[in-house]
């Protein structure tokens, strides 16, 4: 799977004017009928007109996966993932912004997160 995005937000309010560029790839390899290994490499750039700053984020994820079949689209899937991200100083407030209990990464410009994800379609 591959994704590429270019988005330019235009508005009278300068705080709403942004330019996004994103690219990513997610290769998946099925070792058996019910076990896959997934990876993801992504890059995002966000230029905010209100600050003039450009935030950059690069991330890499690895995810061993238990699935109902070996097809890329086979669901449900249970994934254990580990993600490493690296960003610049302009991205630090954005990385921490959606965390209600405070800044997870503080003033850091990189971090690792891990978790379990269940994806199902019906």
């Amino acid at each position: 799977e591959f994704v590429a995005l270019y988005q330019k937000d235009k508005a009278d309010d300068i705080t709403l004017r942004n330019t996004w560029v994103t690219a990513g790839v997610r290769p998946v390899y099925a070792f058996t009928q019910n076990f896959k290994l997934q990876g993801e490499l992504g890059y995002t750039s966000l230029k905010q007109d209100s600050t003039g700053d450009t935030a950059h984020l690069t991330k890499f994820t690895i995810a061993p996966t238990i699935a109902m079949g070996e097809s890329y689209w086979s669901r449900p899937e249970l994934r254990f993932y580990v993600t490493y991200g690296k960003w610049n100083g302009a991205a630090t407030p954005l990385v921490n912004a959606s965390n209600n209990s405070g800044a997870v990464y503080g003033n850091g410009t990189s971090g690792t997160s891990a978790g379990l994800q269940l994806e199902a379609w019906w």
Side-chain angles (χ1 to χ4, degrees):
E1 181 175 3
F2 177 77
V3 65
L5 166 88
Y6 174 83
Q7 176 179 322
K8 179 132 180 111
D9 300 324
K10 297 179 180 180
D12 291 335
D13 182 350
I14 193 167
T15 62
L16 300 175
R17 290 186 225 153
N18 302 303
T19 304
W20 290 82
V21 177
T22 297
V25 62
R26 180 188 283 183
V28 177
Y29 183 79
F31 286 95
T32 68
Q33 177 75 18
N34 301 108
F35 180 74
K36 301 175 188 178
L37 185 61
Q38 301 186 41
E40 186 171 297
L41 179 62
Y43 170 78
T44 296
S45 169
L46 170 64
K47 182 177 186 300
Q48 299 175 294
D49 285 4
S50 61
T51 64
D53 293 336
T54 301
H56 299 278
L57 168 68
T58 302
K59 70 170 191 132
F60 174 72
T61 299
I62 189 91
T65 304
I66 297 170
M68 294 301 289
E70 58 188 278
S71 163
Y72 181 85
W73 302 107
S74 187
R75 298 295 186 273
E77 285 187 346
L78 180 64
R79 303 179 192 114
F80 170 74
Y81 68 88
V82 176
T83 298
Y84 172 76
K86 178 120 182 93
W87 55 89
N88 66 347
T92 299
L94 301 171
V95 169
N96 288 315
S98 64
N99 180 22
N100 294 330
S101 60
V104 173
Y105 299 107
N107 290 325
T109 56
S110 67
T112 302
S113 61
L116 194 61
Q117 177 187 26
L118 175 64
E119 182 176 330
W121 301 341
W122 59 107

